[in-house]
Amino acid sequence: MDLLAVLGLVVLVLVKEAGVPLPVPGDLVIIGAGASLAGDLPGAGSALAAILVAGFIGASIQFLLFRSALRRPLLSVLGRLGVGESRLAGLSDRFRRGGAAAVAVARMTPGVRIAVIPAAAIATLPFAVFLPGIVAGNGAFVTAHFGLGFLFGAYARAAIDQYGSYVVLVIAALAVLAVVGWLIVRAIRRRSGAADTYECWTDCSCPACVVLLAGQRPADVAP
């Protein structure tokens, strides 16, 4: 991954974390970044650090915007995306009780992540409490996805070099199965009212997140 690509990824993460509702599957993008840097440990470390910092800055921007005069318009946007005020209120109560630890856990949980920042702002958490929670939660979530791509990217490259087109076919089949599985889970979650489609697509669309989301109860993702 060249410098321009890394900069583009950093800007994408910053904009998404700042609250712009881009229809981009963030976790899959992070996995892809890790895979593209497989075998380049120094480059991967630098890229991951840049992505994490961009995420922390973007999340801080969104948090402060929700604490400002833009709160009502931003809540209106979230409502159109399926994240209602009742759901935010439930998370806000949890954050008031649990503080930074509750923010961190929620930020690592598929099906909840998109609502964490506005809910923390509504809870009027001090920034000094919000930021450590975001740093811990985002740090764990992003690093896990980046590391997954980095680890399996190296194996995938070696396998392709050795077995060629057969591996490509297997990867393509797994990708199709992952998409089908995600569509099934999406349908189930929509019927249960547990998580909205936009959130599933943007923040929990990798295979691992789909499995975790499928195992959650509605109360876990829609407080």
Side-chain angles (χ1 to χ4, degrees):
M1 179 178 287
D2 59 25
L3 179 59
L4 186 60
V6 173
L7 289 176
L9 180 58
V10 166
V11 171
L12 174 66
V13 171
L14 177 63
V15 171
K16 278 178 62 66
E17 293 288 6
V20 179
L22 298 177
V24 178
D27 49 1
L28 293 183
V29 170
I30 298 300
I31 290 174
S36 69
L37 288 164
D40 180 10
L41 187 58
S46 299
L48 177 59
I51 292 169
L52 289 173
V53 171
F56 302 151
I57 294 173
S60 299
I61 291 172
Q62 184 183 163
F63 179 80
L64 295 174
L65 287 176
F66 268 99
R67 298 285 291 270
S68 72
L70 294 177
R71 175 170 170 169
R72 296 309 309 177
L74 291 172
L75 286 174
S76 176
V77 171
L78 282 177
R80 288 196 292 271
L81 296 175
V83 183
E85 290 193 46
S86 60
R87 182 178 181 190
L88 294 176
L91 273 176
S92 295
D93 291 340
R94 186 185 303 179
F95 296 157
R96 291 188 190 98
R97 295 191 302 269
V103 172
V105 171
R107 194 62 177 168
M108 290 185 286
T109 305
V112 177
R113 301 188 73 250
I114 196 173
V116 168
I117 299 174
I122 292 171
T124 63
L125 288 184
F127 185 71
V129 174
F130 166 79
L131 186 59
I134 283 294
V135 168
N138 260 22
F141 188 87
V142 172
T143 300
H145 284 78
F146 189 93
L148 184 66
F150 183 84
L151 177 63
F152 286 97
Y155 285 113
R157 288 184 181 182
I160 289 173
D161 289 340
Q162 183 172 358
Y163 299 107
S165 58
Y166 294 104
V167 174
V168 175
L169 291 174
V170 171
I171 293 174
L174 290 174
V176 171
L177 288 174
V179 171
V180 172
W182 174 76
L183 290 172
I184 293 172
V185 170
R186 184 184 68 171
I188 294 172
R189 306 305 284 183
R190 288 186 68 182
R191 283 199 298 271
S192 67
D196 60 279
T197 303
Y198 175 81
E199 183 174 350
C200 289
W201 170 241
T202 57
D203 279 312
C204 50
S205 54
C206 80
C209 291
V210 167
V211 171
L212 290 173
L213 184 62
Q216 289 175 333
R217 298 170 301 169
D220 295 329
V221 293

